[in-house]
Amino acid sequence: MKASEALASRRSVRAFLERPVDQALIRRVIAQAARSPSGGNLQPWHIYALTGAPLAELKRTMDLRTAGLAGAESTEYDIYPKQLGSPYRERRFAVGEALYASMGIQRDDREARLRWFSRNFRFFDAPMALFCFVDRAMGPPQWSDLGMYLQSLMLLLREEGIDSCPQECWALYPRTIAGLVGAPGELMLFTGMAIGYADLEHPVNRFPSERAPSNEFATFLGFDAGSDNRTAQAATTGDKP
Ligand SMILES: Cc1cc2nc3c(=O)[nH]c(=O)nc-3n(C[C@H](O)[C@H](O)[C@H](O)COP(=O)(O)O)c2cc1C
């Protein structure tokens, strides 16, 4: 699989088959993804991967904690800016609406939305999962390094036909998760990730997530006018040129 194919075929998968994931393969891609770049080669990622009994126990604990989200803890970082302005607010809204619409869940059906949201805390029934932590001493540049690591991992998984969903909703339960996986106090939980084989029949895995065209986020200086072609625009939106 080419890098472009891995990238194009990655999407956030939120319904998985029961099919198990090969443990040796996961160990390998977790190691391989560390070829990602990081400023000063700090390699600031700390990964806790779970399957089998520890994962089942975590899901059981979370079932009890998340009933109605009553047991949410205070987050250790802001998942989104407190004032999410345009165009980010609209983008967040659009993907949320597309997700719920794919399953026929109405905007005003708060209960159904919450019920769906709580499936995050079962890793959408994925057979494999991981948490990514970062040392509390690290700042924004190192947090961006985590993103590089996680994207490498997700692309390597695609090469193996495996799907994933990064899940920062786990930041709502930082103390519970640190306790369950045994992470030391100097580490802060960034995100979880569900890993497994996609249930391609499930509608939640079938809605498109939009991207803004590149002329909305990139500025090209010294480029020929003729280089702005439909192929470049289609590459960001995912449309056929
Ligand atoms: C760091 C990070 C955290 C995310 N957290 C969640 C999450 O908690 N729950 C969820 O359903 N999706 C989560 N997502 C998935 C995003 O909603 C998704 O990447 C975005 O809508 C684009 O869709 P795509 O990944 O299918 O291309 C997260 C993505 C990232 C990169």
Side-chain angles (χ1 to χ4, degrees):
M1 186 183 267
K2 294 199 294 186
S4 57
E5 291 166 346
L7 186 67
S9 69
R10 189 215 58 79
R11 60 167 294 140
S12 293
V13 161
R14 300 181 177 91
F16 292 89
L17 302 176
E18 275 178 32
R19 181 179 168 191
V21 177
D22 185 79
Q23 296 182 13
L25 185 158
I26 295 300
R27 283 182 188 265
R28 172 171 63 73
V29 293
I30 284 175
Q32 224 176 346
R35 294 308 311 170
S36 303
S38 57
N41 204 20
L42 297 194
Q43 306 162 63
W45 39 78
H46 293 259
I47 304 298
Y48 290 76
L50 294 89
T51 192
L55 180 58
E57 191 201 323
L58 183 134
K59 288 179 183 176
R60 263 195 309 278
T61 306
M62 293 309 297
D63 279 348
L64 299 175
R65 296 295 310 277
T66 57
L69 276 186
E73 298 163 1
S74 51
T75 57
E76 296 187 299
Y77 68 91
D78 288 334
I79 295 179
Y80 297 107
K82 287 191 174 64
Q83 302 292 328
L84 192 62
S86 188
Y88 312 109
R89 207 159 62 93
E90 292 82 353
R91 290 176 186 166
R92 184 182 175 201
F93 181 80
V95 78
E97 288 307 300
L99 184 148
Y100 288 115
S102 76
M103 292 174 291
I105 298 176
Q106 305 298 318
R107 174 127 25 116
D108 54 6
D109 193 348
R110 229 183 106 67
E111 208 173 296
R113 287 190 170 216
L114 261 181
R115 225 181 4 257
W116 171 263
F117 183 70
S118 68
R119 290 186 52 72
N120 267 286
F121 301 108
R122 301 189 58 77
F123 284 110
F124 304 113
D125 292 328
M128 184 75 73
L130 62 78
F131 291 107
C132 176
F133 287 75
V134 65
D135 201 296
R136 288 175 196 281
M138 300 296 170
Q142 290 76 44
W143 282 63
S144 89
D145 297 338
L146 302 184
M148 302 205 200
Y149 175 88
L150 294 168
Q151 172 74 337
S152 297
L153 184 72
M154 292 188 285
L155 297 183
L156 290 168
L157 289 171
R158 283 310 304 138
E159 197 179 76
E160 301 293 342
I162 299 172
D163 299 284
S164 58
C165 183
Q167 296 175 275
E168 56 203 348
C169 62
W170 287 98
L172 294 168
Y173 294 92
R175 279 166 290 283
T176 300
I177 303 309
L180 281 169
V181 301
E186 68 267 21
L187 294 187
M188 188 195 293
L189 176 63
F190 167 40
T191 190
M193 184 185 289
I195 297 172
Y197 292 94
D199 177 354
L200 297 173
E201 302 300 315
H202 199 294
V204 79
N205 289 337
R206 299 170 74 95
F207 74 89
S209 63
E210 306 295 335
R211 295 295 189 273
S214 57
N215 58 8
E216 284 186 25
F217 64 84
T219 305
F220 299 96
L221 305 172
F223 282 64
D224 295 335
S227 64
D228 181 16
N229 56 33
R230 280 183 45 73
T231 313
Q233 291 305 319
T236 20
T237 57
D239 295 340
K240 298 262 175 297

